[in-house]
Amino acid sequence: MSHLFKIIMISTISMNAFLVVLGTDYETRYNLFRLYEFAEIIFVAIYSAEFYMKLYVDPINYWKDGYNLLDVMVIVILSIPYSLRKIKGKHYPYLHVAEGLQSLRILKLISYSRGIRTLITAVGQTAYTVFSVLILLFILMYIFAVLGFSLFGITGQGDRNDWGNLAGAFFTLFSLATLDGWTDLQQQLDDQHFALSRAFTIIFILLANFVFLSMFVGVMIIHTEDSIKKFEQELRLERHMTVMEEKQVIVKRQQEEFSRLMQTQKNTDYKSFSELVENFRKTLRHTDPMVLDDFGTSIPFIDIYLSTLDNQDTTIYKLQELYYEIAHTLGLMLEDLPQKKQAHSSDKVDKI
């Protein structure tokens, strides 16, 4: 998929989403009715052309990609309002629902945004773990819902609105888990003088909000970080492959140019090597490396410099051998020194 095609489609989808936002204002939609009708035809034509081009390029693998199926779903949603107007008329009561579904057109941006696809992949990878956490949270809410119904809903002085049945107890616990108005709920229990209400509320909030919801967020963050790292590694690999391909192209072109020059040299008599180099220089681009006229970058200087380095390495090697011999000789002298001192002392004793 070319970069230009992506830019065109992203611009089209963004413009369509902007017009959908403007269409929510009745006066703007009424004043620009003709413009909206014409723009709608253009957008539908572009989306249809995109679908047929992708299907023509790869008719089999097109249906194997989930994002392509999402694009097909968007195209089907585009046709629903027109079909309802033709079949049921303009005053069909559920026509506004079909028009509201047109906001789903912006989902086509997902197939052109690699970063969004990475996040969706991360969410998909967390599905099993998140489902397990939600099951545990449901079990916890079930236990506390039955307990809350028994403590606060059955008694004559109970809170029948929040704890009078299991469905109401679940909704109340959901408010406590999200900390949405939990102080008001607790105040209602305090007004009715329930002794265990505060302990019940604190324990449930600690378990539901600080444990399970934090666990849910942590799982999402861990998998998202892993997906982002994989995405960055893929980008670095793609950049490396792109650079290597560019290098291969440059090397291949230079080899072809050099081969052509060598063939030309066989067929043409040059006055000097400088003339051959000058002709070769004319074939280079401004981004290609080349040998300059400076003495420090000339071929004879490089040969001399490399030979000097070889001689320097040989000299250092010989000096190292000399140092090893000197160190060995000094070691032998140190070993003989105690024996000489002992012999000298024995001579002095004999003389005495």
Side-chain angles (χ1 to χ4, degrees):
M1 188 181 299
S2 65
H3 185 66
L4 178 61
F5 182 76
K6 288 183 179 181
I7 292 176
I8 293 174
M9 291 307 304
I10 291 174
S11 302
T12 302
I13 298 168
S14 302
M15 182 61 67
N16 191 3
F18 178 71
L19 290 179
V20 169
V21 173
L22 291 181
T24 57
D25 183 68
Y26 178 77
E27 293 183 0
T28 304
R29 190 177 183 87
Y30 179 79
N31 295 329
L32 302 177
F33 176 75
R34 295 297 179 185
L35 176 62
Y36 273 94
E37 292 292 329
F38 179 75
E40 191 69 16
I41 295 173
I42 296 298
F43 291 138
V44 173
I46 292 175
Y47 296 151
S48 302
E50 176 203 15
F51 167 72
Y52 287 116
M53 284 189 294
K54 289 184 177 180
L55 188 63
Y56 175 77
V57 171
D58 195 355
I60 298 177
N61 294 325
Y62 178 83
W63 304 101
K64 298 180 181 179
D65 191 349
Y67 298 107
N68 291 334
L69 297 179
L70 178 64
D71 292 341
V72 173
M73 183 191 72
V74 172
I75 293 175
V76 172
I77 292 174
L78 289 176
S79 62
I80 292 177
Y82 300 99
S83 302
L84 291 178
R85 290 191 184 97
K86 294 294 183 181
I87 299 174
K88 300 293 184 177
K90 296 182 178 180
H91 301 288
Y92 184 65
Y94 296 104
L95 183 61
H96 64 281
V97 177
E99 292 179 348
L101 291 176
Q102 302 306 309
S103 61
L104 297 176
R105 300 180 184 186
I106 199 171
L107 293 178
K108 290 179 65 65
L109 284 175
I110 296 176
S111 59
Y112 295 100
S113 176
R114 193 170 180 181
I116 297 177
R117 294 201 303 269
T118 302
L119 294 177
I120 292 176
T121 303
V123 173
Q125 292 175 350
T126 61
Y128 177 77
T129 306
V130 169
F131 184 71
S132 301
V133 174
L134 291 178
I135 290 177
L136 291 175
L137 181 60
F138 174 79
I139 294 173
L140 177 69
M141 292 181 66
Y142 171 78
I143 295 172
F144 275 81
V146 175
L147 183 61
F149 172 75
S150 302
L151 293 176
F152 314 128
I154 296 179
T155 59
Q157 300 294 329
D159 187 356
R160 304 292 299 176
N161 294 326
D162 297 329
W163 303 96
N165 52 64
L166 199 61
F170 262 101
F171 186 79
T172 302
L173 290 174
F174 182 79
S175 299
L176 292 177
T178 57
L179 301 180
D180 183 19
W182 72 274
T183 54
D184 297 333
L185 295 173
Q186 180 59 41
Q187 185 63 41
Q188 294 176 6
L189 296 177
D190 290 340
D191 294 340
Q192 298 181 11
H193 305 288
F194 287 109
L196 299 177
S197 62
R198 293 192 175 185
F200 177 88
T201 302
I202 292 173
I203 293 173
F204 179 78
I205 290 177
L206 287 175
L207 292 176
N209 187 275
F210 292 97
V211 176
F212 284 96
L213 292 182
S214 299
M215 187 188 305
F216 175 82
V217 174
V219 168
M220 295 294 295
I221 291 175
I222 291 173
H223 284 80
T224 303
E225 288 180 351
D226 294 339
S227 298
I228 291 175
K229 289 180 181 178
K230 293 180 181 178
F231 176 66
E232 292 176 350
Q233 290 177 357
E234 291 176 357
L235 287 180
R236 286 194 294 267
L237 181 61
E238 289 181 358
R239 294 193 188 101
H240 178 70
M241 295 300 296
T242 303
V243 172
M244 293 302 296
E245 289 177 357
E246 292 178 354
K247 287 182 178 179
Q248 291 294 331
V249 171
I250 293 174
V251 171
K252 184 178 179 181
R253 186 177 61 83
Q254 291 181 348
Q255 289 176 351
E256 292 176 353
E257 291 289 340
F258 184 75
S259 299
R260 186 179 61 81
L261 286 173
M262 295 301 296
Q263 187 66 31
T264 304
Q265 184 184 15
K266 294 179 180 178
N267 299 330
T268 307
D269 294 332
Y270 289 99
K271 295 180 179 179
S272 62
F273 180 76
S274 300
E275 185 179 353
L276 177 62
V277 173
E278 185 66 27
N279 291 330
F280 176 73
R281 184 189 299 176
K282 293 178 181 178
T283 62
L284 297 176
R285 295 181 298 182
H286 67 281
T287 56
D288 294 333
M290 58 182 296
V291 179
L292 302 176
D293 292 335
D294 184 47
F295 176 74
T297 58
S298 63
I299 294 178
F301 174 79
I302 294 174
D303 292 336
I304 296 172
Y305 180 69
L306 294 176
S307 300
T308 305
L309 291 179
D310 293 337
N311 295 331
Q312 184 178 357
D313 293 338
T314 303
T315 304
I316 292 174
Y317 178 72
K318 292 181 179 180
L319 289 174
Q320 288 178 347
E321 289 183 346
L322 181 60
Y323 293 153
Y324 292 152
E325 292 179 0
I326 293 173
H328 180 68
T329 303
L330 292 175
L332 294 177
M333 293 174 63
L334 290 175
E335 291 178 356
D336 295 337
L337 186 59
Q339 297 178 358
K340 290 181 179 180
K341 288 183 177 180
Q342 186 176 2
H344 184 66
S345 300
S346 299
D347 294 338
K348 287 184 178 180
V349 172
D350 293 337
K351 289 179 182 180
I352 294 172

